[in-house]
Amino acid sequence: MNNQDKNSRRKFIKASGAIAGVTIIPSKSVWGACNASGVSGGSQALEEVCRVSAEDDPSRNVSSTGFSAAQFNTVFTSMNKNSTPIPDAKARGIIGGMFTKTTWLDEDHSVTSPVHYDFPIFRYDGAFKITNIVGWNGSLMSTELKSDLKKLEGAKNANVSKVSESTLKAQFDASKFWHMGELFAVRSKLEDLADVDLVYVSGVGADGKANTSSINVLDELKNGSGVALNVAALYLNLKAGFCYGIPAGYNERTYCEHLLSVVLENVTDAGFASDLTAKIAGLFGNPLSIKASALLKVN
């Protein structure tokens, strides 16, 4: 997060704190939200815009079907520690739990994002667990499938790197098995959706107009903490379609910008602000997978 002048921030909090006991529900449009759009031009007093309402509370509005900040962090950062770092078993398991598919994504003509066939191959076993079947260089793992896979035309010394793609794919149920190119495709799409700056109100200038700062959603999910990290997870869950329930008058971005502005810089209701991180962190208790092909068609 970008730092702002401390005097500006103190002035902002002092102005809002003067009427902290008043609760104002945000307007049913972007106007009235505590973000750069809602307070632009000085037409509406910051202390009347940037405050807490029960209508903003994500625990009252947002479904519990999303994924946690920790799970997104694992998807984006958890790698095998070898000469060719690739997403590890934890990351593969979470991807398997996030998405469903009925065919190989590189063969799904409804998919508009590029998907390239690549080793390793793993099986999703449910509950965010996986079994590695074929290693990054085509070597066969010690599984119940190894004996049959060794018999395929082109296999040699427990390695299937010379087996044709079509022959190898025919051995697997595409709804349960993933190749690494599919994982990279959905992870890349999530990264694209998360590469967004959320702009929040960080103070007030001498002219009475809002100053702003920003966070990058993807950066927060990789390296962040606290409320910014959890609002970033909320944004990506809403944007990717893992959860729903944006309050009326907002979209994914303006809702999350409003939450950031109110909580980070203008705490008018300690009961709301102090536990927002915990509320979002504990919100997603019933994660539901979505179709991988649907994500790869999102603009």
Side-chain angles (χ1 to χ4, degrees):
M1 278 176 283
N2 301 321
N3 294 323
Q4 293 292 316
D5 181 77
K6 292 182 179 179
N7 291 332
S8 174
R9 184 178 185 275
R10 282 198 294 269
K11 181 179 179 181
F12 182 45
I13 295 175
K14 182 178 178 181
S16 60
I19 53 173
V22 180
T23 298
I24 296 178
I25 297 174
S27 167
K28 297 303 181 182
S29 67
V30 174
W31 184 260
C34 184
N35 55 33
S37 298
V39 298
S40 63
S43 300
Q44 192 165 352
L46 289 174
E47 61 265 29
E48 293 180 358
V49 176
C50 296
R51 66 186 52 261
V52 172
S53 164
E55 298 302 315
D56 303 326
D57 192 333
S59 66
R60 289 186 46 161
N61 296 286
V62 179
S63 69
S64 62
T65 53
F67 292 84
S68 70
Q71 288 173 311
F72 283 123
N73 176 267
T74 296
V75 166
F76 293 139
T77 67
S78 193
M79 299 285 185
N80 282 336
K81 296 178 180 179
N82 55 31
S83 58
T84 308
I86 53 178
D88 65 10
K90 290 182 179 179
R92 299 176 202 188
I94 293 172
I95 288 291
M98 284 181 168
F99 300 102
T100 61
K101 60 191 185 76
T102 57
T103 188
W104 301 107
L105 295 175
D106 52 301
E107 297 176 357
D108 188 334
H109 298 298
S110 70
V111 168
T112 55
S113 298
V115 185
H116 306 290
Y117 174 76
D118 199 8
F119 291 143
I121 295 174
F122 63 93
R123 180 181 64 217
Y124 180 63
D125 297 325
F128 304 116
K129 303 294 184 182
I130 62 105
T131 298
N132 289 312
I133 306 298
V134 181
W136 66 272
N137 61 352
S139 59
L140 294 174
M141 303 292 103
S142 295
T143 68
E144 74 280 6
L145 302 176
K146 183 175 181 179
S147 178
D148 288 337
L149 294 174
K150 286 173 63 177
K151 300 174 184 177
L152 296 177
E153 183 179 356
K156 183 178 181 181
N157 297 327
N159 188 291
V160 293
S161 60
K162 301 300 183 181
V163 176
S164 72
E165 177 183 331
S166 59
T167 297
L168 196 55
K169 282 182 176 179
Q171 310 306 306
F172 306 121
D173 180 348
S175 66
K176 297 178 181 178
F177 290 78
W178 288 70
H179 63 73
M180 190 56 59
E182 294 177 301
L183 185 151
F184 279 134
V186 294
R187 191 184 70 167
S188 177
K189 189 65 178 183
L190 289 175
E191 288 178 331
D192 288 345
L193 295 177
D195 192 14
V196 170
D197 291 333
L198 299 180
V199 179
Y200 65 92
V201 177
S202 60
V204 60
D207 58 359
K209 298 180 181 180
N211 294 326
T212 59
S213 293
S214 66
I215 65 168
N216 180 270
V217 171
L218 183 58
D219 287 346
E220 290 296 326
L221 290 172
K222 289 182 176 181
N223 305 301
S225 62
V227 65
L229 169 64
N230 283 279
V231 172
L234 174 62
Y235 173 85
L236 185 53
N237 272 306
L238 291 168
K239 188 66 177 179
F242 292 118
C243 67
Y244 55 89
I246 303 171
Y250 295 104
N251 58 35
E252 299 94 346
R253 173 177 278 181
T254 57
Y255 179 45
C256 291
E257 288 176 335
H258 176 73
L259 292 177
L260 282 171
S261 298
V262 170
V263 176
L264 291 180
E265 300 297 344
N266 187 27
V267 180
T268 60
D269 183 336
F272 175 85
S274 64
D275 66 355
L276 179 62
T277 301
K279 281 186 174 182
I280 299 176
L283 178 61
F284 302 119
N286 300 293
L288 292 179
S289 55
I290 63 174
K291 292 181 178 179
S293 58
L295 178 84
L296 295 177
K297 289 187 287 187
V298 174
N299 294 323

